[in-house]
């Protein structure tokens, strides 16, 4: 049940921007170095998942085990390559309708926050030029418990000073929908209804809200 939306909290990867392709290129490169192939289907399992958990899934796919030290080094190498990709991003990579929808709701007094597992979120927002569209940014550097734990969204609500019941989360990952519901917030799935079954409603992308609510005016 979605109450009046006083704050909107957005996941980053898959909602505002499609960084999954860059994560994939970097993980694939790491897998190759370790001597195995990593497919796009395997990559689906990494969406919304923390960096270290992603590495564990990758190693499981390759049938490898590494020491904790080697794991830390491997995750850092992957991140170096990933950062090379994202520092080349620009505003053209913002997903359709995302910036417009953010401007639209902000103009109507709705507070906005980012709630992402990524430690690279601030860099990505800077590259896209949309940092000013968020009143709060809660990312992987600020929280210790990964989605489906509600920590990231509860912290965002706290930073915005809005009660959870008046927040709506926009998420493309099942674990993120679960986290939003556990936080007592409304949950809008961005993606396919058959995957995001628990969401209060599911849209194909933020562009759809601009059409549904006829908020086409230039902002
Ligand atoms: C999430 C992505 O947003 O961030 C995951 O969906 C990623 O695929 C996670 O692993 C952590 O990102 P980063 O940038 O801290 O490695
Ligand atoms: Mg996501």
């Amino acid at each position: 049940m979605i109450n009046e939306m006083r704050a909107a909290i957005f996941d980053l990867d898959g909602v505002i921007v499609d960084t999954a392709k860059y994560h994939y290129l970097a993980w694939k490169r790491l897998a190759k170095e370790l001597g195995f192939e990593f497919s796009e289907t395997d990559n689906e399992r990494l969406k919304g998942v923390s960096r270290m958990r992603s590495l564990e899934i990758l190693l499981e796919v390759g049938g490898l085990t590494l020491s904790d030290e080697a794991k830390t080094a491997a995750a850092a190498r992957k991140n170096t390559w990933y950062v090379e990709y994202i520092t080349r991003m620009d505003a053209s990579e913002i997903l359709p309708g995302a910036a417009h929808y953010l401007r639209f709701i902000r103009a109507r007094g709705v507070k906005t926050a980012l709630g992402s597992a990524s430690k690279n979120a601030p860099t990505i927002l800077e590259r896209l030029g949309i940092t000013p569209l968020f009143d709060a940014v809660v990312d992987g550097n600020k929280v210790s418990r990964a989605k489906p734990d509600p920590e990231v969204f509860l912290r965002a609500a706290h930073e915005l000073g809005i009660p959870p019941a008046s927040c709506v989360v926009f998420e493309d990952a099942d674990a993120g929908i679960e986290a939003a519901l556990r936080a007592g917030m409304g949950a809008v799935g961005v993606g396919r209804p058959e995957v995001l079954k628990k969401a209060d409603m599911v849209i194909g992308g933020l562009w759809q809200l601009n059409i549904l609510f006829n908020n086409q005016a230039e902002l």
Side-chain angles (χ1 to χ4, degrees):
M1 170 70 196
I2 298 180
N3 296 327
E4 186 206 358
M5 180 171 80
R6 292 178 56 205
I9 307 174
F10 298 85
D11 173 50
L12 179 64
D13 298 316
V15 173
I16 304 285
V17 67
D18 176 19
T19 43
K21 58 189 177 209
Y22 300 127
H23 280 296
Y24 176 57
L25 289 174
W27 285 125
K28 193 175 156 72
R29 186 167 165 186
L30 181 70
K32 204 166 185 145
E33 268 200 14
L34 294 171
F36 62 94
E37 286 300 322
F38 188 67
S39 71
E40 273 190 74
T41 315
D42 296 326
N43 192 58
E44 283 300 306
R45 294 174 62 194
L46 309 188
K47 288 187 180 171
V49 170
S50 74
R51 193 180 306 167
M52 281 317 274
R53 181 67 197 127
S54 296
L55 175 64
E56 281 160 12
I57 295 170
L58 181 111
L59 293 174
E60 200 182 295
V61 169
L64 291 181
T65 41
L66 295 181
S67 68
D68 284 352
E69 211 173 60
K71 279 206 260 183
T72 306
R77 284 163 67 67
K78 178 268 170 180
N79 192 55
T80 306
W81 298 324
Y82 178 65
V83 168
E84 275 170 25
Y85 294 123
I86 60 172
T87 46
R88 278 185 236 133
M89 291 173 86
D90 61 30
S92 67
E93 297 199 42
I94 300 172
L95 286 172
H100 189 98
Y101 184 64
L102 275 154
R103 286 194 193 97
F104 177 80
I105 58 176
R106 285 171 65 82
R108 276 148 191 82
V110 176
K111 297 266 184 214
T112 54
L114 193 83
S116 167
S118 174
K119 293 185 173 167
N120 293 299
T123 311
I124 296 169
L125 294 184
E126 280 302 318
R127 292 301 311 155
L128 302 178
I130 54 172
T131 308
L133 295 183
F134 296 92
D135 299 301
V137 173
V138 181
D139 61 22
N141 301 295
K142 286 189 179 175
V143 294
S144 52
R145 294 188 297 277
K147 300 169 191 174
D149 190 285
E151 185 186 11
V152 63
F153 296 138
L154 289 173
R155 171 138 186 186
H158 181 76
E159 287 197 16
L160 295 175
I162 304 287
S166 299
C167 297
V168 175
V169 169
F170 295 82
E171 251 290 349
D172 72 319
D174 197 32
I177 295 293
E178 178 76 34
L181 296 174
R182 282 199 211 169
M185 300 176 178
V188 176
V190 181
R192 301 206 317 269
E194 60 273 27
V195 178
L196 305 167
K197 289 195 189 98
K198 292 186 214 130
D200 294 304
M201 65 181 270
V202 180
I203 54 173
L206 294 175
W207 58 270
Q208 223 170 342
L209 296 175
N210 296 326
I211 292 172
L212 278 174
F213 301 116
N214 199 25
N215 45 10
Q216 293 300 301
E218 267 320 305
L219 292 164

